[in-house]
Amino acid sequence: MRTLRRSLSAAALAAAFAAGTMAAAPTALAAENPHERGPDPSESSIEAPRGPFSFAERSVSSWRVSGFGGGTIYYPTSTSEGTFGGIAISPGFTADQSSIAWLGPRLASQGFVVFTIDTNSRFDQPASRGEQLLAALDYLTEDSTVRDRVDASRLGVAGHSMGGGGSLEAASDRPSLQAAVPLAAWNLDKTWSEVRVPTFIIGGENDSVASVGSHSEPFYRSLPGSLDKAYMELDNASHFFPNTPNTTMAKYMISWLKRFIDNDTRYERFLCPAPDDRDISEYRDTCPHS
């Protein structure tokens, strides 16, 4: 909207009204962000178990892919609004995709193509999981049966535990990603100053596996100060909070992905100023976002 207002002088506006051409203005305004998907958000819409999009799912066999262990793709069934951003999500150490399966429908129904993956081995370390997340995104956008629904320029990664550490690895390796969301992340590497991907780190206050003091908090502090980043610590949450539906985690994760994968500033108000939520024990950010 600002672009249109700056480019049209008062005289040009008057001429446009006189000529009856201003009917085209709403289209021009709507085109400023062609990636907005779905109706205007509200607190209830981002807290809901299902969003406004109907979705379907497709299983991907490990025999049909290379570089990762297959998984499940969840995708909006409607194509009336164009393509959608894509997200690959990795499970944690010794776990498979079933441990994060609830995120597939939750995010797909909000207007994303979501790929919950299995890893090559349940014992893969974060660096390997990062490579597998990127391999999954490549498959999603180049070879999958829903590739025509995904915008290859709008991609993100997430993961739990070592999968969360893997999402940091993926963000480090591919700065063209639009968003990363490490969940109760575990990684022996504590320094991520090279990351250029907007990153939202979510930790659990009572995590005894990847304690926030040894993992999530150092990860957040090491990210560049100039980066769009946030840290959210869930009150009384254990290491396994991402393994079952979690409304607080989901609502702010959705908001982050919408804000940075879709550049949808309608969701900025849920992130800036910092949320005041009784289920959050700590929140840090770099608001306002660029």
mmCIF file of all heavy atoms in Angstrom, residues 254-286:
data_model
loop_
_atom_site.group_PDB
_atom_site.id
_atom_site.type_symbol
_atom_site.label_atom_id
_atom_site.label_comp_id
_atom_site.label_asym_id
_atom_site.label_seq_id
_atom_site.Cartn_x
_atom_site.Cartn_y
_atom_site.Cartn_z
ATOM 1 N N ILE A 254 3.186 -21.021 13.862
ATOM 2 C CA ILE A 254 2.411 -20.622 12.690
ATOM 3 C C ILE A 254 2.667 -19.158 12.360
ATOM 4 O O ILE A 254 2.892 -18.795 11.201
ATOM 5 C CB ILE A 254 0.910 -20.869 12.937
ATOM 6 C CG1 ILE A 254 0.611 -22.372 12.950
ATOM 7 C CG2 ILE A 254 0.052 -20.159 11.888
ATOM 8 C CD1 ILE A 254 -0.755 -22.713 13.529
ATOM 9 N N SER A 255 2.634 -18.313 13.367
ATOM 10 C CA SER A 255 2.834 -16.885 13.146
ATOM 11 C C SER A 255 4.213 -16.605 12.562
ATOM 12 O O SER A 255 4.362 -15.771 11.644
ATOM 13 C CB SER A 255 2.659 -16.116 14.460
ATOM 14 O OG SER A 255 1.346 -16.272 14.956
ATOM 15 N N TRP A 256 5.233 -17.305 13.059
ATOM 16 C CA TRP A 256 6.598 -17.103 12.549
ATOM 17 C C TRP A 256 6.697 -17.558 11.086
ATOM 18 O O TRP A 256 7.247 -16.853 10.231
ATOM 19 C CB TRP A 256 7.594 -17.866 13.408
ATOM 20 C CG TRP A 256 9.022 -17.525 13.108
ATOM 21 C CD1 TRP A 256 9.871 -18.160 12.248
ATOM 22 C CD2 TRP A 256 9.769 -16.430 13.670
ATOM 23 N NE1 TRP A 256 11.103 -17.553 12.242
ATOM 24 C CE2 TRP A 256 11.071 -16.490 13.100
ATOM 25 C CE3 TRP A 256 9.483 -15.436 14.584
ATOM 26 C CZ2 TRP A 256 12.064 -15.567 13.435
ATOM 27 C CZ3 TRP A 256 10.473 -14.525 14.926
ATOM 28 C CH2 TRP A 256 11.744 -14.599 14.344
ATOM 29 N N LEU A 257 6.154 -18.721 10.796
ATOM 30 C CA LEU A 257 6.230 -19.241 9.434
ATOM 31 C C LEU A 257 5.444 -18.364 8.464
ATOM 32 O O LEU A 257 5.890 -18.102 7.336
ATOM 33 C CB LEU A 257 5.713 -20.674 9.397
ATOM 34 C CG LEU A 257 6.519 -21.696 10.204
ATOM 35 C CD1 LEU A 257 5.801 -23.044 10.229
ATOM 36 C CD2 LEU A 257 7.939 -21.851 9.652
ATOM 37 N N LYS A 258 4.283 -17.896 8.880
ATOM 38 C CA LYS A 258 3.507 -16.998 8.043
ATOM 39 C C LYS A 258 4.259 -15.682 7.803
ATOM 40 O O LYS A 258 4.294 -15.155 6.692
ATOM 41 C CB LYS A 258 2.149 -16.708 8.692
ATOM 42 C CG LYS A 258 1.156 -17.839 8.607
ATOM 43 C CD LYS A 258 0.581 -17.940 7.200
ATOM 44 C CE LYS A 258 -0.594 -18.883 7.141
ATOM 45 N NZ LYS A 258 -1.205 -18.937 5.793
ATOM 46 N N ARG A 259 4.834 -15.172 8.878
ATOM 47 C CA ARG A 259 5.522 -13.877 8.768
ATOM 48 C C ARG A 259 6.723 -13.948 7.850
ATOM 49 O O ARG A 259 6.965 -13.001 7.066
ATOM 50 C CB ARG A 259 5.949 -13.422 10.180
ATOM 51 C CG ARG A 259 6.783 -12.141 10.211
ATOM 52 C CD ARG A 259 6.007 -10.955 9.696
ATOM 53 N NE ARG A 259 6.815 -9.749 9.697
ATOM 54 C CZ ARG A 259 7.672 -9.405 8.726
ATOM 55 N NH1 ARG A 259 7.836 -10.209 7.690
ATOM 56 N NH2 ARG A 259 8.362 -8.284 8.791
ATOM 57 N N PHE A 260 7.486 -15.040 7.892
ATOM 58 C CA PHE A 260 8.742 -15.051 7.151
ATOM 59 C C PHE A 260 8.717 -15.909 5.892
ATOM 60 O O PHE A 260 9.395 -15.569 4.919
ATOM 61 C CB PHE A 260 9.887 -15.456 8.084
ATOM 62 C CG PHE A 260 10.167 -14.399 9.104
ATOM 63 C CD1 PHE A 260 9.729 -14.528 10.406
ATOM 64 C CD2 PHE A 260 10.817 -13.230 8.741
ATOM 65 C CE1 PHE A 260 9.954 -13.526 11.343
ATOM 66 C CE2 PHE A 260 11.040 -12.216 9.657
ATOM 67 C CZ PHE A 260 10.610 -12.361 10.963
ATOM 68 N N ILE A 261 7.958 -16.981 5.857
ATOM 69 C CA ILE A 261 7.865 -17.740 4.602
ATOM 70 C C ILE A 261 6.910 -17.041 3.640
ATOM 71 O O ILE A 261 7.182 -16.942 2.438
ATOM 72 C CB ILE A 261 7.419 -19.188 4.871
ATOM 73 C CG1 ILE A 261 8.549 -19.952 5.566
ATOM 74 C CG2 ILE A 261 7.034 -19.888 3.566
ATOM 75 C CD1 ILE A 261 8.238 -21.412 5.847
ATOM 76 N N ASP A 262 5.799 -16.524 4.156
ATOM 77 C CA ASP A 262 4.816 -15.847 3.310
ATOM 78 C C ASP A 262 4.967 -14.331 3.318
ATOM 79 O O ASP A 262 4.222 -13.651 2.610
ATOM 80 C CB ASP A 262 3.394 -16.204 3.767
ATOM 81 C CG ASP A 262 3.015 -17.635 3.437
ATOM 82 O OD1 ASP A 262 3.787 -18.313 2.730
ATOM 83 O OD2 ASP A 262 1.945 -18.089 3.899
ATOM 84 N N ASN A 263 5.881 -13.813 4.125
ATOM 85 C CA ASN A 263 6.024 -12.361 4.276
ATOM 86 C C ASN A 263 4.677 -11.728 4.615
ATOM 87 O O ASN A 263 4.353 -10.627 4.155
ATOM 88 C CB ASN A 263 6.616 -11.731 3.004
ATOM 89 C CG ASN A 263 7.050 -10.293 3.225
ATOM 90 O OD1 ASN A 263 7.451 -9.911 4.328
ATOM 91 N ND2 ASN A 263 6.964 -9.479 2.184
ATOM 92 N N ASP A 264 3.901 -12.426 5.406
ATOM 93 C CA ASP A 264 2.548 -11.998 5.733
ATOM 94 C C ASP A 264 2.570 -11.185 7.020
ATOM 95 O O ASP A 264 2.563 -11.736 8.129
ATOM 96 C CB ASP A 264 1.643 -13.224 5.874
ATOM 97 C CG ASP A 264 0.168 -12.859 5.899
ATOM 98 O OD1 ASP A 264 -0.149 -11.701 6.237
ATOM 99 O OD2 ASP A 264 -0.666 -13.737 5.592
ATOM 100 N N THR A 265 2.589 -9.860 6.863
ATOM 101 C CA THR A 265 2.726 -8.979 8.022
ATOM 102 C C THR A 265 1.457 -8.934 8.874
ATOM 103 O O THR A 265 1.468 -8.337 9.947
ATOM 104 C CB THR A 265 3.104 -7.558 7.574
ATOM 105 O OG1 THR A 265 2.138 -7.095 6.620
ATOM 106 C CG2 THR A 265 4.488 -7.547 6.938
ATOM 107 N N ARG A 266 0.383 -9.586 8.419
ATOM 108 C CA ARG A 266 -0.806 -9.671 9.270
ATOM 109 C C ARG A 266 -0.513 -10.433 10.561
ATOM 110 O O ARG A 266 -1.225 -10.274 11.558
ATOM 111 C CB ARG A 266 -1.947 -10.350 8.513
ATOM 112 C CG ARG A 266 -2.435 -9.603 7.273
ATOM 113 C CD ARG A 266 -3.537 -10.378 6.560
ATOM 114 N NE ARG A 266 -3.075 -11.678 6.101
ATOM 115 C CZ ARG A 266 -3.884 -12.605 5.561
ATOM 116 N NH1 ARG A 266 -5.174 -12.365 5.434
ATOM 117 N NH2 ARG A 266 -3.399 -13.762 5.155
ATOM 118 N N TYR A 267 0.522 -11.276 10.534
ATOM 119 C CA TYR A 267 0.863 -12.097 11.696
ATOM 120 C C TYR A 267 1.898 -11.440 12.600
ATOM 121 O O TYR A 267 2.219 -11.978 13.659
ATOM 122 C CB TYR A 267 1.371 -13.467 11.235
ATOM 123 C CG TYR A 267 0.281 -14.334 10.662
ATOM 124 C CD1 TYR A 267 -0.159 -14.161 9.353
ATOM 125 C CD2 TYR A 267 -0.338 -15.314 11.427
ATOM 126 C CE1 TYR A 267 -1.185 -14.933 8.821
ATOM 127 C CE2 TYR A 267 -1.362 -16.094 10.903
ATOM 128 C CZ TYR A 267 -1.780 -15.891 9.594
ATOM 129 O OH TYR A 267 -2.791 -16.666 9.079
ATOM 130 N N GLU A 268 2.387 -10.275 12.208
ATOM 131 C CA GLU A 268 3.409 -9.597 13.000
ATOM 132 C C GLU A 268 2.892 -9.268 14.400
ATOM 133 O O GLU A 268 3.641 -9.341 15.388
ATOM 134 C CB GLU A 268 3.854 -8.315 12.275
ATOM 135 C CG GLU A 268 4.875 -7.481 13.009
ATOM 136 C CD GLU A 268 6.294 -8.016 12.891
ATOM 137 O OE1 GLU A 268 6.484 -9.104 12.302
ATOM 138 O OE2 GLU A 268 7.222 -7.348 13.377
ATOM 139 N N ARG A 269 1.629 -8.938 14.500
ATOM 140 C CA ARG A 269 1.090 -8.509 15.799
ATOM 141 C C ARG A 269 1.075 -9.619 16.849
ATOM 142 O O ARG A 269 1.002 -9.336 18.044
ATOM 143 C CB ARG A 269 -0.319 -7.950 15.626
ATOM 144 C CG ARG A 269 -1.377 -8.959 15.193
ATOM 145 C CD ARG A 269 -2.684 -8.238 14.870
ATOM 146 N NE ARG A 269 -3.744 -9.127 14.425
ATOM 147 C CZ ARG A 269 -4.649 -9.663 15.237
ATOM 148 N NH1 ARG A 269 -4.586 -9.438 16.538
ATOM 149 N NH2 ARG A 269 -5.601 -10.445 14.758
ATOM 150 N N PHE A 270 1.182 -10.870 16.409
ATOM 151 C CA PHE A 270 1.236 -11.968 17.379
ATOM 152 C C PHE A 270 2.657 -12.196 17.910
ATOM 153 O O PHE A 270 2.840 -12.912 18.888
ATOM 154 C CB PHE A 270 0.714 -13.255 16.743
ATOM 155 C CG PHE A 270 -0.682 -13.142 16.209
ATOM 156 C CD1 PHE A 270 -0.933 -13.207 14.851
ATOM 157 C CD2 PHE A 270 -1.754 -12.936 17.067
ATOM 158 C CE1 PHE A 270 -2.220 -13.094 14.346
ATOM 159 C CE2 PHE A 270 -3.051 -12.814 16.578
ATOM 160 C CZ PHE A 270 -3.289 -12.892 15.215
ATOM 161 N N LEU A 271 3.634 -11.586 17.242
ATOM 162 C CA LEU A 271 5.039 -11.760 17.601
ATOM 163 C C LEU A 271 5.660 -10.501 18.185
ATOM 164 O O LEU A 271 6.588 -10.596 18.999
ATOM 165 C CB LEU A 271 5.839 -12.174 16.359
ATOM 166 C CG LEU A 271 5.391 -13.465 15.655
ATOM 167 C CD1 LEU A 271 6.065 -13.577 14.287
ATOM 168 C CD2 LEU A 271 5.713 -14.683 16.504
ATOM 169 N N CYS A 272 5.188 -9.347 17.774
ATOM 170 C CA CYS A 272 5.721 -8.058 18.232
ATOM 171 C C CYS A 272 4.554 -7.140 18.581
ATOM 172 O O CYS A 272 3.696 -6.911 17.721
ATOM 173 C CB CYS A 272 6.561 -7.407 17.138
ATOM 174 S SG CYS A 272 8.068 -8.289 16.700
ATOM 175 N N PRO A 273 4.510 -6.638 19.814
ATOM 176 C CA PRO A 273 5.468 -6.870 20.902
ATOM 177 C C PRO A 273 5.425 -8.304 21.410
ATOM 178 O O PRO A 273 4.547 -9.067 21.024
ATOM 179 C CB PRO A 273 5.022 -5.882 21.975
ATOM 180 C CG PRO A 273 3.546 -5.721 21.727
ATOM 181 C CD PRO A 273 3.388 -5.782 20.231
ATOM 182 N N ALA A 274 6.364 -8.631 22.267
ATOM 183 C CA ALA A 274 6.493 -10.000 22.759
ATOM 184 C C ALA A 274 5.185 -10.497 23.358
ATOM 185 O O ALA A 274 4.475 -9.753 24.042
ATOM 186 C CB ALA A 274 7.598 -10.062 23.812
ATOM 187 N N PRO A 275 4.832 -11.750 23.089
ATOM 188 C CA PRO A 275 3.580 -12.303 23.620
ATOM 189 C C PRO A 275 3.521 -12.262 25.144
ATOM 190 O O PRO A 275 4.524 -12.488 25.817
ATOM 191 C CB PRO A 275 3.605 -13.753 23.120
ATOM 192 C CG PRO A 275 4.543 -13.765 21.962
ATOM 193 C CD PRO A 275 5.569 -12.720 22.265
ATOM 194 N N ASP A 276 2.354 -11.967 25.661
ATOM 195 C CA ASP A 276 2.101 -12.019 27.100
ATOM 196 C C ASP A 276 1.194 -13.216 27.336
ATOM 197 O O ASP A 276 -0.029 -13.130 27.261
ATOM 198 C CB ASP A 276 1.433 -10.725 27.561
ATOM 199 C CG ASP A 276 1.187 -10.709 29.058
ATOM 200 O OD1 ASP A 276 1.758 -11.564 29.770
ATOM 201 O OD2 ASP A 276 0.395 -9.859 29.519
ATOM 202 N N ASP A 277 1.816 -14.356 27.581
ATOM 203 C CA ASP A 277 1.085 -15.620 27.656
ATOM 204 C C ASP A 277 1.542 -16.365 28.906
ATOM 205 O O ASP A 277 2.736 -16.551 29.129
ATOM 206 C CB ASP A 277 1.390 -16.444 26.395
ATOM 207 C CG ASP A 277 0.474 -17.633 26.219
ATOM 208 O OD1 ASP A 277 0.279 -18.373 27.195
ATOM 209 O OD2 ASP A 277 -0.032 -17.834 25.096
ATOM 210 N N ARG A 278 0.601 -16.810 29.699
ATOM 211 C CA ARG A 278 0.948 -17.464 30.965
ATOM 212 C C ARG A 278 1.677 -18.785 30.769
ATOM 213 O O ARG A 278 2.299 -19.307 31.696
ATOM 214 C CB ARG A 278 -0.304 -17.703 31.796
ATOM 215 C CG ARG A 278 -1.307 -18.664 31.173
ATOM 216 C CD ARG A 278 -2.533 -18.790 32.044
ATOM 217 N NE ARG A 278 -3.510 -19.738 31.489
ATOM 218 C CZ ARG A 278 -4.673 -19.997 32.044
ATOM 219 N NH1 ARG A 278 -5.006 -19.389 33.181
ATOM 220 N NH2 ARG A 278 -5.500 -20.859 31.498
ATOM 221 N N ASP A 279 1.600 -19.357 29.555
ATOM 222 C CA ASP A 279 2.300 -20.609 29.272
ATOM 223 C C ASP A 279 3.735 -20.385 28.793
ATOM 224 O O ASP A 279 4.430 -21.345 28.471
ATOM 225 C CB ASP A 279 1.531 -21.411 28.218
ATOM 226 C CG ASP A 279 0.195 -21.907 28.746
ATOM 227 O OD1 ASP A 279 0.138 -22.279 29.941
ATOM 228 O OD2 ASP A 279 -0.788 -21.905 27.996
ATOM 229 N N ILE A 280 4.161 -19.131 28.741
ATOM 230 C CA ILE A 280 5.525 -18.795 28.328
ATOM 231 C C ILE A 280 6.283 -18.261 29.533
ATOM 232 O O ILE A 280 5.865 -17.281 30.155
ATOM 233 C CB ILE A 280 5.518 -17.739 27.203
ATOM 234 C CG1 ILE A 280 4.767 -18.265 25.974
ATOM 235 C CG2 ILE A 280 6.938 -17.341 26.827
ATOM 236 C CD1 ILE A 280 4.572 -17.227 24.883
ATOM 237 N N SER A 281 7.394 -18.910 29.876
ATOM 238 C CA SER A 281 8.174 -18.460 31.030
ATOM 239 C C SER A 281 9.193 -17.391 30.635
ATOM 240 O O SER A 281 9.620 -16.608 31.485
ATOM 241 C CB SER A 281 8.898 -19.651 31.681
ATOM 242 O OG SER A 281 9.764 -20.281 30.772
ATOM 243 N N GLU A 282 9.570 -17.362 29.360
ATOM 244 C CA GLU A 282 10.536 -16.363 28.897
ATOM 245 C C GLU A 282 10.376 -16.170 27.405
ATOM 246 O O GLU A 282 10.091 -17.122 26.670
ATOM 247 C CB GLU A 282 11.970 -16.806 29.204
ATOM 248 C CG GLU A 282 13.022 -15.775 28.860
ATOM 249 C CD GLU A 282 14.426 -16.217 29.260
ATOM 250 O OE1 GLU A 282 14.551 -17.244 29.952
ATOM 251 O OE2 GLU A 282 15.383 -15.532 28.855
ATOM 252 N N TYR A 283 10.540 -14.927 26.950
ATOM 253 C CA TYR A 283 10.476 -14.630 25.524
ATOM 254 C C TYR A 283 11.476 -13.513 25.215
ATOM 255 O O TYR A 283 11.510 -12.503 25.913
ATOM 256 C CB TYR A 283 9.058 -14.200 25.119
ATOM 257 C CG TYR A 283 8.809 -14.218 23.629
ATOM 258 C CD1 TYR A 283 8.215 -15.318 23.014
ATOM 259 C CD2 TYR A 283 9.165 -13.138 22.821
ATOM 260 C CE1 TYR A 283 7.995 -15.353 21.648
ATOM 261 C CE2 TYR A 283 8.940 -13.164 21.449
ATOM 262 C CZ TYR A 283 8.354 -14.285 20.873
ATOM 263 O OH TYR A 283 8.148 -14.311 19.515
ATOM 264 N N ARG A 284 12.276 -13.733 24.191
ATOM 265 C CA ARG A 284 13.229 -12.720 23.733
ATOM 266 C C ARG A 284 13.039 -12.546 22.236
ATOM 267 O O ARG A 284 12.669 -13.485 21.537
ATOM 268 C CB ARG A 284 14.668 -13.147 24.018
ATOM 269 C CG ARG A 284 14.952 -13.564 25.444
ATOM 270 C CD ARG A 284 16.404 -13.969 25.610
ATOM 271 N NE ARG A 284 16.599 -14.842 26.730
ATOM 272 C CZ ARG A 284 17.765 -15.406 27.064
ATOM 273 N NH1 ARG A 284 18.839 -15.164 26.320
ATOM 274 N NH2 ARG A 284 17.857 -16.209 28.117
ATOM 275 N N ASP A 285 13.312 -11.337 21.745
ATOM 276 C CA ASP A 285 13.115 -11.111 20.319
ATOM 277 C C ASP A 285 13.950 -9.938 19.849
ATOM 278 O O ASP A 285 14.633 -9.275 20.646
ATOM 279 C CB ASP A 285 11.629 -10.831 20.027
ATOM 280 C CG ASP A 285 11.086 -9.643 20.799
ATOM 281 O OD1 ASP A 285 11.656 -8.539 20.698
ATOM 282 O OD2 ASP A 285 10.093 -9.814 21.537
ATOM 283 N N THR A 286 13.904 -9.688 18.566
ATOM 284 C CA THR A 286 14.592 -8.552 17.947
ATOM 285 C C THR A 286 13.566 -7.660 17.240
ATOM 286 O O THR A 286 13.834 -7.131 16.181
ATOM 287 C CB THR A 286 15.651 -9.021 16.944
ATOM 288 O OG1 THR A 286 15.041 -9.899 15.979
ATOM 289 C CG2 THR A 286 16.785 -9.753 17.648
#
